[in-house]
Amino acid sequence: MRRDTFLKSMAALAAAGTLPLTARAGANFKMMLPANPGGGWDTTGRALGKALQEARVADTVTYDNKGGAAGAIGLAQFVNGSKGDPNALMVMGAVMLGGIITGKPPVSLSQATPIARITSEYNVFVLPSNSPFKTMADVVAQLKKDPGSVKWGGGSRGSTEHIAAAMIARAVGVDPAKINYVAFRGGGEATAAILGGNVTIGGSGFSEFAEYISAGKMHPIAVTSGERLQGVDVPTLKEQGIAVEIGNWRGVYGAPGITAEQRKVLIDAVLAALKTPAWADAVKKNDWTPAVLTGDAFGRFVDEEFASLRDTMTKAGMVAA
C-alpha cells in the first residue's frame, strides 16, 4: 500500500473512532455522571476517567453531572444528546434500573449501548451518632410500632437502599407501602441529612460512608451482603434475623447508534483502564468489588436484572403489579 493511501485510511479510521487502541491517539472522552457530585456514580466515573488517562487511551476526560430521578434525567440527556458519539460514556448501575421502573422516563436504557459492568458493592445502613437507637433491632421495633415515624434516607426512589428498606419492612411484617423514605438527589445530600440527624436511618454504598463511620460520626448497624464484608465488623441483616440480601453494581454505557467497531474500542479502553494502578487504588480506597462483564454479556445481565428487580419491587409493594 502506498504511504499516502495508508495515511488516508488511518485518518478515516481515526475520524470514525475505529482505530485499534495501539494505533490511535488518546480520545477526548465525555463522561455523563447522572447524579450530583459526591455520590457513588460521581466517584466511579471520575476514578474511571483518571484511569482512562493513565492507560493513555484518553487525552482528556470531561464530566457532566446531571442528578435527579435515579439517573433518568442524565440518561435522557445522554440518549438525546450523544447519538453516534464514539467518545461518550455514561456511568450507571442497579439504581438506574430501579428509577426507570418507578419513574417510567420517556427514554429507555436500551437506546444506549452497553459497554461494561465494572464493580459491585453492598449497602450499609447507619444511624446518626446521636441517635436514640443503637441497633437494627431498635429501628425494627419502632418501625413495627409506627412505620411513618422512621425516616429512611438514601438515594433516589428505586435505589438499592430504597428497595432494601422496603424489603426489610416486608421481612419483619410491616406493609412496605407505609415506610417513610426520603429520597436525595446525590450521596452528598444524603450524607448531610444523616449527619444532621434529619433522617432516622441512612443507607448507601459502604465506601460513601466509610470516612464518617471511621470518625465516629455515623454508627453502622447492618450490611446488605450475604456474609460480613471483608475487614468490616458490621453484622449482616441475615445475621440479625432479617432475610434480606441485595447488592449494588455499577457499569458504563456508550452512546446510541455507535458502530460495532466503535463499541469494541470503548470496551477495550475501559478494560485497559481497569488494569491501571490508578484504578487499583480507587478499588482499594472505596472497598469496591471488581465485577467485570462486557459487551453483549453485560447487556443480557442488565435485562435479567431489570426483570428480577421489577419482580422484587412489585412484591415489596413499590410498584403496581
Side-chain angles (χ1 to χ4, degrees), residues 28 67 86 155 251 269 290 306:
N28 298 312
F306 195 88

Side-chain angles (χ1 to χ4, degrees), residues 11 15 25-26 66 69 71 102 104 121 129-130 137 177 196 201 207 218 232 240 256 266-267 277 286 302:
K66 289 292 177 183
T102 58
K104 300 177 182 178
E121 185 178 28
S129 58
N130 62 350
I201 178 172
S207 62
M218 294 180 182
V232 177
Q240 301 177 72
L266 284 178
I267 291 172
N286 294 291
V302 171

Side-chain angles (χ1 to χ4, degrees), residues 209-289:
F209 290 162
E211 66 176 290
Y212 304 102
I213 292 171
S214 297
K217 295 180 179 180
M218 294 180 182
H219 175 55
I221 57 173
V223 290
T224 63
S225 51
E227 299 178 353
R228 291 198 182 198
L229 301 177
Q230 186 175 1
V232 177
D233 188 24
V234 181
T236 67
L237 288 165
K238 288 186 173 181
E239 278 182 68
Q240 301 177 72
I242 302 170
V244 170
E245 178 182 346
I246 182 171
N248 183 16
W249 54 267
R250 297 187 182 114
V252 287
Y253 265 59
I258 60 174
T259 67
E261 291 82 5
Q262 290 168 337
R263 183 193 194 191
K264 185 179 185 305
V265 168
L266 284 178
I267 291 172
D268 289 346
V270 170
L271 290 177
L274 300 187
K275 295 175 183 176
T276 62
W279 183 255
D281 289 344
V283 168
K284 182 177 180 180
K285 177 183 177 181
N286 294 291
D287 293 313
W288 292 333
T289 300

Side-chain angles (χ1 to χ4, degrees), residues 51-117:
L52 286 166
Q53 289 178 287
E54 184 170 289
R56 297 186 177 180
V57 293
D59 280 339
T60 63
V61 181
T62 56
Y63 305 95
D64 189 5
N65 286 89
K66 289 292 177 183
I73 293 175
L75 171 63
Q77 179 171 313
F78 185 75
V79 167
N80 294 325
S82 65
K83 293 176 183 177
D85 187 342
N87 295 325
L89 287 172
M90 177 187 70
V91 178
M92 51 75 68
V95 173
M96 182 174 283
L97 305 191
I100 290 171
I101 292 168
T102 58
K104 300 177 182 178
V107 295
S108 169
L109 185 59
S110 63
Q111 292 172 258
T113 306
I115 300 300
R117 184 186 68 191

Side-chain angles (χ1 to χ4, degrees), residues 167-209:
M167 292 171 72
I168 290 169
R170 186 166 179 261
V172 301
V174 174
D175 182 356
K178 292 183 178 179
I179 67 168
N180 182 2
Y181 185 82
V182 184
F184 295 95
R185 289 167 62 91
E189 292 180 9
T191 296
I194 296 164
L195 294 175
N198 297 319
V199 294
T200 309
I201 178 172
S204 189
F206 194 91
S207 62
E208 293 183 41
F209 290 162

